[in-house]
Amino acid sequence: MGEKTADTGLRIPAPGGFDLVSLGALVHRLDPGIIPFRKATSCQIHVSGGEFNVAANLADCFRLKTGIVTAMVDSPIGDLIAERVRAMGVSPLYKHFASNGVTGPNMATVYSDRGFGVRAPVVFYNRANEAAGLLRPGDFDWQRLFAQGVRWLHSGGIFAALSETTSGVILEAMQAARDAGAIVSFDLNFRKKLWDLWGGTDKAQEVIHCIVQHVQVLVGNEEDLQRGLGIAGPDVAGSSRLDPQAFLGMIDAVVASYPNIKVVATTLREVQSSNRHRWSAVAWINGAVHRAPICDLDVYDRVGGGDGFAAGLFYGLLTGEHPADAVKLGWAHGALLTTFPGDTTMATLEQVRAFAKGGSARIQR
């Protein structure tokens, strides 16, 4: 079992084969930039997935050993995605699916444009016959994986919502993680459109309730807590997005329902325009509240900022940083990530630490 880290209540295992393993779906995002999709003539292709983004960020920026457990389709699109996974330094742990070349199975496609100024970003999907949604309990040998020494397991609400079988995969993995003494985290990431396909909010809360009983580190804002866990809270539309009181006012109810939870964290974002945001973060860590500063962001691409925060926070917790510093590392990395194209990091650890300490955009010579 790990040694209990001061101030966090988490028993972080000693280094082993993996610092973190994520379980979730890989997708590719088609991005025409600021051009609306209906007028687009070309796109960049980004490889993404909420759970993968955390693993990729931790490997590329924070220099940790990470893996991704997921479905992979043997097709040119699958080959493209697999190449980007390798490029980010993430170890692939795949269940392979053969494509019939017509109807799949498929690697999901995300379509987005970044918006500009008063025009909001637009994101929509094609997840028809998605390979990750076909995953089911028994597809992976969790005991063998955790025997290699996995310190942290991460998954999220998007993967849980993909089908009636994916939550079973999560629960199977989390039970193996707990048996091995690994930390377990979950990003609520409530997506109503996905849950509405096979049960709606009531089913979502039933499923997520079962999952969160195994979780020590929970990521999600007050809306996620209300919709995903059924925790009573304020009208989220009626409060300032930078005011953490609505979020913090729900923590007692979360911990009373799930005493296993030691950390609950979220980003705070006030959108002034598509390219101008005010940004902060807050975390409840073992009874203490830690809030990051507020900064003004000039946003190039907002997708992935929350996963960037989670990665920096997890890094701080894994490496024994003071909880307040762990929150600042997450805040700083999430902020920097919005200055790059794509869903995953291009920042360096040195840049993250400098910004977390109050660094500026002055030229570095």
Side-chain angles (χ1 to χ4, degrees), residues 42-340:
S42 62
C43 301
Q44 288 184 299
I45 304 175
H46 308 299
V47 168
S48 182
E51 299 82 9
F52 166 71
N53 293 346
V54 172
N57 295 337
L58 284 169
D60 188 78
C61 174
F62 296 98
R63 305 165 190 166
L64 297 187
K65 295 177 289 185
T66 69
I68 177 69
V69 179
T70 190
M72 177 55 65
V73 175
D74 297 327
S75 70
I77 293 295
D79 292 344
L80 179 153
I81 292 171
E83 187 278 330
R84 303 286 176 86
V85 171
R86 292 193 298 271
M88 292 302 290
V90 179
S91 295
L93 303 162
Y94 297 149
K95 177 178 172 62
H96 286 267
F97 290 82
S99 171
N100 65 20
V102 182
T103 59
N106 302 306
M107 303 300 288
T109 307
V110 180
Y111 308 87
S112 68
D113 75 67
R114 297 177 199 157
F116 190 83
V118 298
R119 177 165 54 86
V122 175
V123 179
F124 56 103
Y125 309 87
N126 182 357
R127 306 195 85 124
N129 199 15
E130 181 178 2
L134 302 177
L135 294 173
R136 60 187 59 247
D139 280 343
F140 302 101
D141 187 342
W142 297 110
Q143 280 67 36
R144 182 178 180 183
L145 174 60
F146 283 97
Q148 299 178 47
V150 178
R151 305 174 75 195
W152 192 298
L153 174 73
H154 179 63
S155 195
I158 294 176
F159 182 60
L162 287 187
S163 73
E164 296 185 44
T165 61
T166 52
S167 62
V169 182
I170 295 173
L171 289 168
E172 185 181 58
M174 288 183 172
Q175 185 58 61
R178 291 186 64 181
D179 291 345
I183 301 299
V184 176
S185 61
F186 189 76
D187 190 331
L188 287 166
N189 256 339
F190 187 85
R191 296 292 186 271
K192 186 176 185 299
K193 287 182 181 179
L194 291 176
W195 287 109
D196 280 349
L197 293 176
W198 64 279
T201 299
D202 289 345
K203 186 64 177 179
Q205 292 179 3
E206 175 189 328
V207 168
I208 295 172
H209 168 73
C210 293
I211 291 171
V212 174
Q213 292 182 74
H214 298 273
V215 170
Q216 294 134 295
V217 180
L218 187 66
V219 179
N221 60 27
E222 56 266 34
E223 186 174 358
D224 292 324
L225 295 174
Q226 288 181 54
R227 296 185 178 183
L229 290 178
I231 302 293
D235 176 7
V236 295
S239 59
S240 167
R241 292 294 185 178
L242 292 173
D243 183 356
Q245 293 310 309
F247 170 78
L248 295 173
M250 301 172 72
I251 298 299
D252 286 347
V254 172
V255 176
S257 298
Y258 306 97
N260 45 291
I261 290 178
K262 304 301 180 184
V263 178
V264 189
T266 188
T267 58
L268 303 168
R269 187 195 306 248
E270 184 176 86
V271 177
Q272 298 175 326
S273 77
S274 290
N275 317 100
R276 189 72 170 171
H277 298 178
R278 303 194 75 207
W279 171 264
S280 187
V282 64
W284 177 95
I285 301 178
N286 201 29
V289 174
H290 304 279
R291 184 174 178 181
I294 297 173
C295 67
D296 292 317
L297 294 183
D298 294 305
V299 175
Y300 184 83
D301 186 344
R302 70 169 286 168
V303 178
D307 299 326
F309 165 72
L313 173 68
F314 295 175
Y315 170 79
L317 296 173
L318 272 165
T319 56
E321 297 276 353
H322 187 277
D325 293 329
V327 174
K328 286 183 181 178
L329 287 170
W331 164 81
H333 183 250
L336 286 166
L337 203 145
T338 68
T339 69
F340 308 120

